[in-house]
Amino acid sequence: MMKNFVALVGSESSTSTNRHLLQYMKTHFSAEATIELISLTNLPIFKKTDDRFMPEPTLALIKKILPADGVIIGTPEYDHAVPALLLNALAWASYTSHPFVNKPVMITGASYGSLGSSRAQAQLRQVLDSPEIKARVMPGSEFLLGHSLEAFSEQGLIDEETSQQLDGLFKDFLLFVDISAALNNTDDIKKAQSEAFSWDDK
């Protein structure tokens, strides 16, 4: 069965190579899944309120994530860390509806240098595993696209080994999504824990 994924673009730049990578995946894997790219630039800065108000752009984001079979996140690395744009989106998503609970997630990352956002990806895994998010990130799935400005041609990824690695990881993600669907015995418990959790009580 065709999978439906959403892909969060962790950069506000229209020319971002992380955006380019996700667009490539959308086209390249179109026979296996539909992938909808979601820009995060229209989200307001996260702020808690007494009435737990959710602005319309954040509600729209959550409505995309909730029914999706899985989420792909493309994260840049700024100062060895996840960019504020992406952290802001995750803060909103963990505020009321908790759409990431047990949601299969695949992380990708591109950078101009040789490291391919490796530190940001490691940090992002910690954030996604936090008590208020509880996402199910595919293990052993780092995709680090270094020297990303030179990585693409009109035909796709230039380096054959890199292309094969991404193909293999995406196949693993499709399988991971199916396996995750069967691992549902703690869904209600985790959702309740996320909804009840508050850093203010600690």
Side-chain angles (χ1 to χ4, degrees):
M1 181 182 296
M2 179 80 76
K3 298 292 191 297
N4 295 301
F5 298 146
V6 295
L8 306 185
V9 184
S11 170
E12 63 182 9
S13 171
S14 61
T15 60
S16 163
T17 53
N18 280 279
R19 183 185 299 275
H20 193 171
L21 173 60
L22 293 175
Q23 289 171 333
Y24 166 76
M25 292 176 67
K26 176 180 180 177
T27 302
H28 186 65
F29 298 119
S30 60
E32 293 113 315
T34 60
I35 301 176
E36 180 182 0
L37 270 63
I38 298 179
S39 175
L40 306 175
T41 57
N42 64 335
L43 300 181
I45 295 175
F46 176 72
K47 181 180 180 181
K48 288 185 177 182
T49 59
D50 291 339
D51 61 356
R52 298 173 70 83
F53 173 73
M54 292 284 285
E56 181 55 38
T58 65
L59 291 174
L61 172 64
I62 290 169
K63 287 177 182 177
K64 295 286 188 181
I65 296 173
L66 277 171
D69 295 310
V71 177
I72 303 168
I73 301 178
T75 181
E77 180 172 307
Y78 299 158
D79 300 324
H80 290 178
V82 179
L85 179 77
L86 181 52
L87 291 176
N88 183 61
L90 294 176
W92 278 119
S94 66
Y95 187 35
T96 58
S97 299
H98 308 283
F100 277 100
V101 172
N102 282 350
K103 182 74 68 177
V105 175
M106 177 182 180
I107 300 174
T108 67
S111 72
Y112 295 170
S114 59
L115 296 179
S117 77
S118 59
R119 293 182 177 90
Q121 289 198 32
Q123 184 187 51
L124 182 56
R125 286 178 177 273
Q126 289 184 312
V127 173
L128 291 169
D129 194 42
S130 64
E132 291 176 300
I133 298 182
K134 293 185 183 294
R136 185 173 280 151
V137 184
M138 184 170 73
S141 61
E142 277 190 330
F143 182 71
L144 309 172
L145 184 63
H147 304 293
S148 56
L149 285 174
E150 299 85 36
F152 293 95
S153 69
E154 292 184 0
Q155 288 71 42
L157 285 169
I158 294 174
D159 184 71
E160 183 63 24
E161 183 177 344
T162 301
S163 179
Q164 290 177 355
Q165 181 191 13
L166 181 59
D167 289 351
L169 287 174
F170 193 77
K171 288 180 181 178
D172 285 347
F173 187 55
L174 293 174
L175 179 59
F176 181 69
V177 169
D178 288 337
I179 293 172
S180 294
L183 301 176
N184 57 10
N185 293 301
T186 62
D187 284 3
D188 292 341
I189 294 174
K190 285 188 175 182
K191 183 73 178 296
Q193 289 175 339
S194 294
E195 291 174 348
F197 185 87
S198 172
W199 292 107
D200 297 332
D201 297 334
K202 305 305 173 186

